[in-house]
Amino acid sequence: MKNIKSKLPIFRKTEMNISNEVNLVWSIANTLRGSYRADKYRDVIIPMFVITRLEAALLETKDKVVSTFKANPSIPARVLESISGYKYYNTSQYTLKNLLDDPDNIKINFENYLDAYSERVQDILKNLKFQDEIETLAKTGRLYNVIKKFSELDLSPSVVDSIKMGYMFEDIIRRFSENEEAGSHYTPREVIGLMVNLLLAGSDEEIFQDDKVVKILDMAAGTGGMLATSKSYINALNPNVDVELFGQEYLPETYGIGKADMLIRQDNADHFVNTDTLKNADPFADVKMNFVIANPPFGQSWGGKDADDGVEQAVKADMAEFVATDGRSGRFVNTPTSGDAQWLFHLHALAKLNENGRAAIISNGSPLFSGGTTSGESQIRRYILEQDLLETIVALPGQFFYNTGISIYIWIYSKNKPKARQNKVQFIDATNEYINLRKSLGQKRRELSAENIAHIVSWYQSDSQNKNVKIFDTKEFIYKEYTVMQPLQRRGEITDETIEAVKALPFFTKFYDESKLSALIEIEPRTAKEEKELEKLSAGKLKQENILSALLGAKTSESYPDFEEFSKRIENLPYGVKLTKANFNAMALAMSKMDKTAKVITTTKKDKVGEIANGIVYDKTTKDSEIVKLSENVEDYFAREVFPHVPDAYYWDEDKVGAEIPFTRYFYEYQAPEAAETLKEEFQALEKELQELLSSL
């Protein structure tokens, strides 16, 4: 297959009307009123939707499968699969339609019908947890009507293809769910199409030769829409490429619909696995992928109290393995903040790629810049840049998703960049590439058109820059953080104002809490523990009074330009209270201010990072940091950016290296405000108009 790139971009705009089918499903949900709360409708509707879809695919071969099984109940499963035409079958005489012929026994017949599905479907039904709902439907007299309604819904593959099925399922989920998770697993098809086009546009032509095997993974697969779309696009380029799909999905409901769709599309449904990608063992440990495509969840906790049991331990163990083996085993070079697992999914994707593999992953803005220099996020970015794995980041506008209006980014990774792109990162600003929907779908108000996708793919394929495309060396985003401080030059004073500052010091406020004392006094009788706490607070109040009394007794209009002398003065006052060296130092700092006319404090002690350099003591209250790109000379940077403003500043190199990717900064365009004269004229015109309106009343 030659000149694959000349066939790009592929665009499949699916203009389809799903309202009739979805409205029918919605009407079925309405019949559950009284028996179910509205937020529980989905517990019935989703499994029945899946069952209806699975049955519809089998109807043509149903009779032959049943008769063959009756003739020989021990017949191997693979024979029945061959007859059904799918990797599943049903040996029951019943269908959703003929179950209605015996309304008195519909519950037991329906259960027998479900039990007659083969093993792969049993796995789906188990995850959908439908058995309990059958009991409820039967007890409330709703089972017959629900089955009847679904028997009237034609979901056969010849009528409803995989793409249409995906749209229907997404719309049903959106209608049933108004909470935070609504639509969180469903990426708009045109966005998936863009991702696939970007993956293919940078791929080796060789991969699309006849009979080549292309392996694709989505480790946060939802209902499998990304996998299905990827395969359809690749086979549109060459139908003779063997595309193998691998999916991992944690939520039982979405796993059920995804696996059902894999069965009906005749993909290997055993490669669609219900598992926790972060916690559980890799179900495809021996398989390396050509492509990984994913939209992992935003803001999912992997650690702390909000994480699922066992996830934190598994993630930390994986990171320890990665570090111990220098990356030969394990996935996680580091860990991000425990409240957002996005980076872990990125690292999983990179670990699964083969030597020429490529990945396209959606994220929000957080992975670009969150975390300080030594944070896990920063070190992950540093690793990805130093290993030259990041190829392109595409910024898309907000209002693309059903449940959120936030802007999104597509990260394109490559394990084997072409020479022209090595050690470089491409930014594409596509935030103005969209068309408005005629009618909003939840918070989705925009979509990508064929023209929008063509623009973005064209920019990606070009090595030139324009207002929408910037190209940088990877070192542009890796930096070193330097600690900067000024010499200790402080002027101390013992005045009412500086004594007031002492009252706010942490050690001082810990002595006594008036609200706690009042609460304890009101308790009658008090326990021994409460009595002890009351005594401690009373003693603490006395300590505070003694400290303030000593300071007030030392008040003076004199100032102290020598901080060492001032510190000794504070330390030697008669407090009558035992205080620590740290307490005295805190008081001296609170009662003094930096003053460039004060004495510079020196010492004969050895240099110490962040404290002493060349015999000069530095003021910790002036501690700051400067971020200097590795591509820049640090001396030139300080000479230009720091010393003109703070000539006596000193900086320490603590070897703190990190990385951030401030994407939007590179596309910012300053817009000057309107001239004051213009604004004045507009205001006067409005004022005049208002006066005329008032006069006419």
Side-chain angles (χ1 to χ4, degrees):
M1 189 81 182
K2 299 296 182 183
N3 294 325
I4 180 176
K5 294 182 177 64
S6 67
K7 301 178 184 294
L8 297 174
I10 303 171
F11 182 77
R12 291 189 165 185
K13 175 66 175 175
T14 311
E15 293 286 2
M16 59 179 63
N17 185 357
I18 61 172
S19 59
N20 290 337
E21 293 92 341
V22 171
N23 287 338
L24 176 57
V25 174
W26 188 247
S27 72
I28 301 171
N30 288 333
T31 68
L32 299 174
R33 282 182 184 160
S35 302
Y36 284 84
R37 298 198 317 264
D39 62 329
K40 295 294 183 182
Y41 291 171
R42 62 189 290 158
D43 295 345
V44 172
I45 299 304
I46 299 302
M48 283 301 301
F49 190 66
V50 172
I51 291 164
T52 305
R53 173 67 163 174
L54 289 169
E55 180 187 90
L58 297 179
L59 286 178
E60 285 188 11
T61 58
K62 171 82 171 176
D63 292 341
K64 189 173 182 182
V65 168
V66 172
S67 61
T68 303
F69 178 75
K70 280 185 177 180
N72 180 12
S74 301
I75 193 168
R78 64 179 181 278
V79 176
L80 295 177
E81 288 173 355
S82 175
I83 295 170
S84 76
Y86 294 93
K87 291 294 183 181
Y88 72 102
Y89 53 86
N90 186 303
T91 58
S92 168
Q93 63 181 331
Y94 294 113
T95 64
L96 293 178
K97 281 191 183 297
N98 66 28
L99 279 166
L100 305 174
D101 297 338
D102 187 4
D104 293 338
N105 295 301
I106 194 162
K107 177 179 178 292
I108 191 168
N109 290 341
F110 184 50
E111 288 174 335
N112 289 335
Y113 160 80
L114 294 179
D115 289 343
Y117 272 107
S118 55
E119 184 179 352
R120 291 185 178 92
V121 176
Q122 293 303 324
D123 177 49
I124 294 169
L125 296 175
K126 179 185 73 174
N127 278 279
L128 293 176
K129 300 174 183 175
F130 190 44
Q131 185 59 45
D132 291 344
E133 309 311 325
I134 297 174
E135 293 288 341
T136 303
L137 289 168
K139 285 178 182 177
T140 57
R142 307 297 174 95
L143 182 59
Y144 181 91
N145 282 334
V146 167
I147 292 175
K148 182 177 185 297
K149 287 282 188 181
F150 272 102
S151 72
E152 296 165 356
L153 183 62
D154 187 358
L155 295 181
S156 58
S158 60
V159 175
V160 180
D161 65 13
S162 177
I163 300 297
K164 184 173 182 179
M165 184 71 180
Y167 275 110
M168 287 172 61
F169 186 72
E170 289 167 18
D171 198 52
I172 290 167
I173 291 291
R174 182 182 61 79
R175 293 197 192 197
F176 286 143
S177 305
E178 297 299 330
N179 57 34
E180 183 181 345
E181 288 189 7
S184 59
H185 307 282
Y186 315 109
T187 311
R189 286 300 187 271
E190 77 278 5
V191 175
I192 301 174
L194 171 62
M195 296 168 75
V196 177
N197 273 294
L198 293 172
L199 285 176
L200 301 183
S203 297
D204 193 320
E205 302 267 355
E206 238 178 70
I207 202 172
F208 299 101
Q209 292 177 0
D210 288 356
D211 301 321
K212 277 281 187 179
V213 177
V214 176
K215 296 180 172 67
I216 307 175
L217 169 69
D218 182 349
M219 66 287 181
T223 61
M226 283 192 164
L227 294 171
T229 305
S230 299
K231 181 175 181 178
S232 70
Y233 274 48
I234 291 172
N235 284 149
L237 291 170
N238 184 358
N240 297 318
V241 172
D242 182 9
V243 182
E244 294 184 5
L245 304 180
F246 298 80
Q248 295 167 225
E249 173 53 27
Y250 176 60
L251 295 177
E253 183 179 270
T254 43
Y255 162 73
I257 190 73
K259 184 164 185 174
D261 208 34
M262 289 274 282
L263 282 171
I264 292 162
R265 288 200 316 268
Q266 310 242 40
D267 288 311
N268 188 341
D270 295 339
H271 288 167
F272 199 88
V273 181
N274 182 212
T275 186
D276 187 326
T277 296
L278 302 183
K279 181 174 80 170
N280 299 333
D282 183 359
F284 317 119
D286 298 328
V287 183
K288 290 293 186 180
M289 306 295 169
N290 301 97
F291 299 117
V292 177
I293 183 167
N295 176 16
F298 306 160
Q300 174 182 305
S301 294
W302 64 266
K305 61 182 178 62
D306 294 326
D308 290 341
D309 291 344
V311 175
E312 182 172 355
Q313 295 90 327
V315 168
K316 288 182 175 179
D318 189 290
M319 176 184 163
E321 182 181 352
F322 186 99
V323 172
T325 62
D326 292 325
R328 293 186 300 276
S329 182
R331 299 167 290 175
F332 307 138
V333 63
N334 214 308
T335 56
T337 179
S338 62
D340 191 353
Q342 285 184 84
W343 267 127
L344 300 180
F345 285 95
H346 286 238
L347 292 173
H348 178 91
L350 291 170
K352 290 302 298 177
L353 293 175
N354 66 24
E355 66 276 8
N356 295 310
R358 293 169 56 75
I361 303 177
I362 288 177
S363 80
N364 61 14
S366 176
L368 291 167
F369 51 77
S370 61
T373 301
T374 58
S375 69
E377 293 94 330
S378 178
Q379 296 309 307
I380 293 168
R381 286 189 291 266
R382 177 185 173 189
Y383 168 79
I384 285 169
L385 291 164
E386 288 180 343
Q387 297 299 313
D388 199 21
L389 297 168
L390 179 61
E391 185 176 88
T392 301
I393 298 176
V394 181
L396 294 175
Q399 301 180 3
F400 266 18
F401 284 79
Y402 300 106
N403 71 316
T404 177
I406 64 171
S407 299
I408 57 173
Y409 297 83
I410 300 173
W411 296 62
I412 304 295
Y413 295 104
S414 175
K415 278 288 190 78
N416 186 17
K417 289 184 183 180
K419 189 172 182 179
R421 290 183 179 244
Q422 288 175 7
N423 298 309
K424 296 187 181 299
V425 178
Q426 180 190 48
F427 287 175
I428 297 176
D429 178 14
T431 53
N432 291 317
E433 292 294 321
Y434 64 88
I435 58 174
N436 291 313
L437 291 175
R438 292 192 297 273
K439 183 180 179 182
S440 297
L441 294 171
Q443 294 190 51
K444 180 176 173 61
R445 298 178 178 87
R446 297 168 172 170
E447 66 178 356
L448 292 168
S449 67
E451 185 178 11
N452 296 143
I453 291 176
H455 288 163
I456 297 167
V457 174
S458 173
W459 292 333
Y460 167 78
Q461 291 176 311
S462 172
D463 291 328
S464 60
Q465 301 187 66
N466 56 49
K467 69 173 186 175
N468 296 99
V469 182
K470 309 289 183 187
I471 298 173
F472 303 95
D473 289 338
T474 52
K475 285 185 179 180
E476 172 76 11
F477 311 108
I478 305 175
Y479 64 84
K480 184 172 278 192
E481 180 180 336
Y482 295 86
T483 299
V484 184
M485 292 168 65
Q486 298 178 49
L488 183 57
Q489 290 176 274
R490 300 184 74 87
R491 184 176 295 274
E493 294 180 346
I494 307 177
T495 65
D496 289 334
E497 182 182 352
T498 60
I499 292 171
E500 195 67 27
V502 171
K503 294 180 181 180
L505 291 173
F507 88 86
F508 187 87
T509 59
K510 282 182 180 178
F511 285 139
Y512 173 67
D513 185 325
E514 187 173 356
S515 62
K516 283 185 180 180
L517 182 70
S518 300
L520 285 169
I521 289 173
E522 290 178 7
I523 297 173
E524 286 292 347
R526 287 183 286 273
T527 64
K529 183 179 180 182
E530 288 167 342
E531 284 289 352
K532 189 174 181 180
E533 181 66 17
L534 184 61
E535 290 173 8
K536 182 181 176 183
L537 287 170
S538 299
K541 183 178 182 181
L542 185 60
K543 287 180 180 179
Q544 286 188 343
E545 290 170 350
N546 287 344
I547 292 169
L548 294 176
S549 176
L551 291 172
L552 288 168
K555 273 201 315 182
T556 176
S557 58
E558 179 187 358
S559 66
Y560 297 81
D562 185 331
F563 185 72
E564 282 186 318
E565 180 186 338
F566 178 64
S567 296
K568 288 176 183 176
R569 174 69 176 138
I570 294 299
E571 188 173 343
N572 292 328
L573 290 175
Y575 298 103
V577 176
K578 186 177 180 181
L579 296 173
T580 66
K581 187 76 174 174
N583 296 154
F584 292 130
N585 189 53
M587 291 166 65
L589 288 171
M591 299 175 72
S592 61
K593 293 181 180 178
M594 187 172 70
D595 185 342
K596 289 300 182 184
T597 65
K599 178 183 176 182
V600 174
I601 304 302
T602 58
T603 183
T604 57
K605 293 180 179 179
K606 291 182 179 180
D607 286 1
K608 186 176 181 180
V609 173
E611 291 186 23
I612 302 166
N614 303 321
I616 296 175
V617 179
Y618 284 83
D619 188 345
K620 292 181 179 179
T621 68
T622 68
K623 185 176 181 179
D624 203 350
S625 61
E626 290 291 328
I627 302 298
V628 184
K629 296 174 186 176
L630 288 188
S631 57
E632 182 164 9
N633 180 281
V634 64
E635 293 178 357
D636 292 343
Y637 174 88
F638 274 86
R640 183 183 73 249
E641 300 292 341
V642 178
F643 295 146
H645 310 289
V646 190
D648 57 355
Y650 189 86
Y651 63 89
W652 286 269
D653 181 354
E654 299 180 71
D655 200 29
K656 291 183 179 179
V657 180
E660 67 172 355
I661 304 175
F663 186 99
T664 55
R665 184 190 304 168
Y666 294 101
F667 292 97
Y668 173 75
E669 293 182 0
Y670 173 74
Q671 293 183 339
E674 284 192 78
E677 193 61 36
T678 303
L679 292 172
K680 181 181 177 182
E681 290 173 1
E682 290 177 359
F683 177 77
Q684 289 173 337
L686 287 170
E687 189 176 41
K688 182 180 178 182
E689 183 181 350
L690 179 60
Q691 290 297 331
E692 290 173 353
L693 288 170
L694 290 172
S695 300
S696 64
L697 293 176

